[in-house]
Amino acid sequence: MTMQLISLDIPEAFIIKQTSFTDQRGQFSRLFCQKTLAPILAQREVKQVNFSRTTAQGTVRGLHYQHSPAAEMKFIRCIQGAVWDVMVDLRPNSPTFLQWHAEELSQENNTMIVIPEGCGHGFQALAAESELIYFHTAFYSETAEAGVHVQDPDLAIDWPLPVNNLSVRDATLPTVEKWLKDSLG
């Protein structure tokens, strides 16, 4: 079993292609290996592991992140179903500020995405009953959570299905313009 690290255009963002062992009994794959991921983790440690299940196809969650002092790197893998996983660079000093990148994650493709600190994250369920596992390098902090609206025309994210089933919180996230005014003054 191997984990191949592939850099993305957004600085410090990666996808990880994984192989798995399959035989007549089923499948085995590694979800996380600190030794292999040391170049990405640097001095960070995984502090929290979360799970989500999205029941309806087309549902969108996000775009969320945590700001300093609880900024977090996320490693995300789909373990059932399929999602269109999106990151948006929300770091004002980044050369890819406000650019987005998306990957299809599924139980079949064994791909994990690495979302760096300061990038918003969201996804759309491409299949009903899609399940994700998240590895976080910081603990959840309600006072540090933030985000931007998934349908902001300034981001122009190309969602593969009509956006539906947004939570009340996600539906009221600010546009990028408002977020910039509120967070950067």
Side-chain angles (χ1 to χ4, degrees):
M1 290 173 294
T2 62
M3 299 177 100
Q4 178 188 13
L5 309 177
I6 301 166
S7 295
L8 300 175
D9 290 341
I10 294 176
E12 301 173 41
F14 299 87
I15 57 170
I16 301 169
K17 295 285 189 176
Q18 300 168 278
T19 59
S20 55
F21 176 77
T22 304
D23 65 14
Q24 74 280 3
R25 300 167 297 169
Q27 178 184 10
F28 177 85
S29 62
R30 182 173 292 147
L31 292 179
F32 186 84
C33 178
Q34 187 162 354
K35 182 179 177 182
T36 302
L37 299 176
I40 296 173
L41 283 167
Q43 301 303 311
R44 300 174 192 94
E45 297 177 1
V46 171
K47 306 272 180 140
Q48 191 169 305
V49 179
N50 294 332
F51 166 83
S52 74
R53 175 183 297 123
T54 303
T55 56
Q57 182 184 39
T59 297
V60 174
R61 295 179 186 243
L63 297 159
H64 309 136
Y65 76 104
Q66 290 190 169
H67 55 74
S68 190
E72 62 185 348
M73 177 180 272
K74 298 178 188 176
F75 295 76
I76 301 158
R77 177 148 175 215
C78 182
I79 56 174
Q80 179 166 317
V83 301
W84 182 249
D85 204 271
V86 177
M87 78 176 82
V88 176
D89 193 340
L90 298 174
R91 301 168 293 183
N93 297 322
S94 172
T96 57
F97 181 55
L98 298 182
Q99 292 179 28
W100 61 272
H101 177 88
E103 290 286 331
E104 182 173 332
L105 306 180
S106 71
Q107 68 189 75
E108 286 86 20
N109 70 14
N110 286 334
T111 299
M112 182 180 282
I113 194 163
V114 180
I115 314 284
E117 291 98 337
C119 288
H121 170 252
F123 67 89
Q124 182 172 54
L126 300 176
E129 302 300 332
S130 290
E131 298 179 354
L132 298 179
I133 190 163
Y134 304 67
F135 298 83
H136 300 259
T137 61
F139 295 110
Y140 171 73
S141 170
E142 185 175 350
T143 60
E145 73 178 356
V148 294
H149 200 283
V150 298
Q151 292 180 297
D152 188 320
D154 289 336
L155 295 176
I157 296 172
D158 188 15
W159 298 102
L161 301 171
V163 171
N164 66 46
N165 207 19
L166 288 174
S167 70
V168 171
R169 174 183 168 235
D170 291 351
T172 58
L173 284 171
T175 62
V176 169
E177 182 179 354
K178 179 160 179 19
W179 171 79
L180 282 168
K181 281 182 192 174
D182 293 347
S183 64
L184 302 178

